């Protein structure tokens, strides 16, 4: 019964920044392993960032050094800070959870659109 809802997407010029949020219900963030994915039209969904229950973060090569994943357990919120955005970052962005950690992602949000213009 875990539910995830993303927000914070929008349109931005290349070089700009956006901060995505993901609100969770049904389970505290302290008990979840979370990640951010994105999918551009005609392409497969790509995992770009993940964070463990002990706040260990990992990133894909495409966003490393530009994006930062974090979570606030008290507010049941997951974040993705995106800096130095490029047109190639244009995609639908999704947050997801793994229940249990170590398994596959099995809970997904509805997505939020990010569009980066040159």
């Amino acid at each position: 019964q875990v539910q995830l809802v993303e927000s914070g997407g929008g349109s931005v010029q290349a070089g700009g920044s956006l901060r995505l949020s993901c609100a969770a219900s049904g389970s505290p963030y302290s008990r979840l392993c979370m990640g951010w994915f994105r999918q551009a039209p005609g392409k497969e969904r790509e995992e770009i960032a993940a964070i463990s229950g002990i706040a260990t973060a990992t990133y894909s090569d495409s966003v490393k050094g530009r994006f930062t994943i974090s979570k606030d357990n008290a507010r049941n919120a997951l974040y993705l800070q995106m800096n130095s955005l490029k047109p190639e970052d244009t995609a639908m962005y999704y947050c997801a959870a793994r229940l249990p950690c170590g398994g596959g992602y099995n809970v997904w949000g509805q997505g939020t659109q990010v569009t980066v213009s040159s």
Side-chain angles (χ1 to χ4, degrees), residues 28-94:
Y29 269 64
S30 61
R31 298 171 62 182
L32 297 175
C33 290
M34 307 289 295
W36 285 98
F37 290 72
R38 67 184 182 186
Q39 187 170 26
K43 297 185 178 180
E44 295 186 354
R45 189 168 297 183
E46 173 193 18
E47 183 177 9
I48 57 172
I51 189 165
S52 72
I54 59 173
T56 299
T58 58
Y59 302 93
S60 68
D61 289 340
S62 61
V63 307
K64 189 177 300 181
R66 299 187 297 121
F67 292 10
T68 302
I69 187 172
S70 62
K71 61 180 179 178
D72 186 334
N73 291 334
R75 298 183 179 182
N76 256 17
L78 179 74
Y79 304 101
L80 184 69
Q81 179 66 46
M82 305 185 295
N83 298 326
S84 301
L85 284 163
K86 306 174 181 178
E88 305 91 88
D89 295 318
T90 295
M92 185 73 74
Y93 284 71
Y94 302 87

